[in-house]
Amino acid sequence: MPMRCISSRPILPARIRNLVPHTKLGAKFIMNHVYVAGSINMAVIATAARYPKMGETVPGREIFFSPGGKGANQAVSAAKLGAPTTLIDCLGEDAFGRELSSFLSSQGIDLTNVRYSMETHTGTAVITVVESDNAIVVIPGTNALVNGADVARPALVEGDVLVSQFEIPASTVYAFFSRAGSIGATTILNLAPAIDFDRSLLHLVDIVVLNETELGFMTRRSLHESDPESFFIEAARTLQMRDGQTVCVTLGRRGAVALNRDGVIAIPGRAVQPVDTTGAGDCFVGALAAQIAAGAPIGAALENANIAASLCVQRMGARAHRCQQPLRLPSHEYKSRRQSVRLNRLLCAAL
């Protein structure tokens, strides 16, 4: 039976008791806070039959304007799974900035730590989509202005989950994660986009998430999606900087593989028909953060994040606020009615 989105509004913690585990405090559901320090962009998405060659112009099919940015996407995904979510960034005082602020507020995301600047324009991403794949050019704009003072402002407590990526300055990410150790917060770093950075930052990270392309860049290895799983495991091991750290490599339709102190965690892929892969990795990271904030063990958190990402790729664009059409996994993926309901709730996290 086709699944349908049960709500276009953020799912409150009380409505996802069967999706995430109870905490050690017993039956009373408690969700810790997720803080995302990351980019907010307006995505301009164009679809075409093929990518243009250098100097060539090709006709497009459609164009979409969609709220995006890795920070915003990850925050929306976490909020959709019921995690109290705060976004830390900078917006321009322009039309895109106003539109993005309105959208994120409608998702129940706390924007008290988003400041506004007239120094430059709001971040923008120009995305070309061809046959469900994408090529992206990001113009940072105000995202490049986020600094240590911005990430020092929120009052953090034990159990909070801190999430970041590299669409804001790496020095700001370092300052943000430096706050985690003394308070017992969990840090999640998405190594995207792949850049050269001071590897000492990895010592501050509890969970590292990256795809095979980013892993190849970080480890200076030639890696391909079709490579044996052992290749990714060997490469990921070089990024582990301390005991207890988890390194997760997302592999698209093949699922994901992760390393932690207990060994290798293999997350199988799911057979779905992708429409647009834009934002799938961000959906994964946001869903992972929400699961960790709910107290889920790392294996279950990664599995649920992978489900959310597999649902995310079945619709166009990175915007995560409404269901435009029924999306579903193949019927053989459902093991029970309870799992169907669980996946439906994850669907709303991905949309």
Side-chain angles (χ1 to χ4, degrees):
M1 178 178 295
M3 292 168 55
R4 61 184 181 86
C5 184
I6 57 177
S7 174
S8 61
R9 296 172 295 179
I11 303 174
L12 299 176
R15 298 181 62 191
I16 57 171
R17 294 174 187 268
N18 293 328
L19 177 61
V20 293
H22 296 308
T23 67
K24 295 179 180 180
L25 298 179
K28 183 178 179 180
F29 185 91
I30 294 179
M31 179 79 85
N32 292 310
H33 205 103
V34 173
Y35 290 90
V36 181
S39 59
I40 307 172
N41 294 325
M42 181 61 78
V44 182
I45 306 168
T47 64
R50 64 179 178 85
Y51 295 110
K53 298 176 183 178
M54 185 65 68
E56 181 187 20
T57 299
V58 299
R61 292 174 174 169
E62 296 178 287
I63 190 166
F64 305 89
F65 294 86
S66 178
K70 301 190 74 62
N73 292 341
Q74 292 169 10
V76 170
S77 180
K80 287 283 190 177
L81 274 176
T85 304
T86 292
L87 187 54
I88 307 166
D89 194 37
C90 184
L91 286 171
E93 294 188 352
D94 50 30
F96 279 173
R98 291 189 293 272
E99 174 67 21
L100 290 165
S101 178
S102 176
F103 164 70
L104 293 167
S105 294
S106 74
Q107 301 306 293
I109 296 172
D110 173 24
L111 300 181
T112 56
N113 289 282
V114 172
R115 65 181 174 90
Y116 296 82
S117 174
M118 296 184 66
E119 287 187 46
T120 186
H121 59 83
T122 295
T124 307
V126 180
I127 304 171
T128 303
V129 178
V130 175
E131 294 181 353
S132 82
D133 232 332
N134 62 74
I136 305 174
V137 176
V138 177
I139 304 94
T142 48
N143 295 306
L145 303 180
V146 188
N147 56 41
D150 294 318
V151 297
R153 198 169 295 120
L156 308 178
V157 299
E158 183 178 1
D160 286 342
V161 179
L162 313 187
V163 182
S164 200
Q165 340 72 29
F166 286 145
E167 285 186 346
I168 61 173
S171 59
T172 302
V173 179
Y174 192 99
F176 185 43
F177 285 172
S178 293
R179 301 185 61 195
S182 62
I183 60 173
T186 298
T187 54
I188 301 177
L189 177 62
N190 180 203
L191 293 182
I195 64 170
D196 288 314
F197 66 99
D198 184 347
R199 297 301 176 93
S200 64
L201 171 61
L202 293 177
H203 290 278
L204 304 176
V205 182
D206 296 307
I207 304 173
V208 178
V209 180
L210 71 172
N211 63 26
E212 79 275 5
T213 302
E214 293 149 0
L215 179 64
F217 178 89
M218 295 295 175
T219 60
R220 301 296 189 265
R221 302 183 185 207
S222 178
L223 296 172
H224 306 281
E225 186 178 328
S226 58
D227 286 341
E229 188 178 273
S230 59
F231 284 27
F232 302 109
I233 294 171
E234 180 183 354
R237 203 177 303 277
T238 67
L239 296 179
Q240 281 188 309
M241 295 296 177
R242 57 181 175 80
D243 291 340
Q245 187 178 58
T246 298
V247 178
C248 174
V249 184
T250 58
L251 299 173
R253 67 189 63 194
R254 291 179 61 183
V257 62
L259 291 172
N260 68 2
R261 59 158 55 105
D262 298 322
V264 177
I265 303 172
I267 308 298
R270 294 183 174 269
V272 299
Q273 184 61 48
V275 174
D276 179 13
T277 58
T278 305
D282 298 333
C283 180
F284 183 100
V285 172
L288 174 62
Q291 292 282 291
I292 297 298
I298 186 65
L302 291 170
E303 181 182 3
N304 286 338
N306 187 59
I307 294 171
S310 70
L311 294 163
C312 175
V313 300
Q314 296 181 68
R315 55 93 175 105
M316 178 62 66
R319 171 141 53 173
H321 73 293
R322 67 182 175 212
C323 301
Q324 297 180 334
Q325 56 184 330
L327 306 179
R328 55 191 177 276
L329 293 175
S331 58
H332 68 268
E333 296 283 359
Y334 299 113
K335 296 180 181 179
S336 67
R337 171 62 181 169
R338 183 175 181 180
Q339 186 184 39
S340 175
V341 172
R342 173 171 169 268
L343 291 176
N344 196 34
R345 285 167 172 163
L346 277 170
L347 169 64
C348 289
L351 289 175

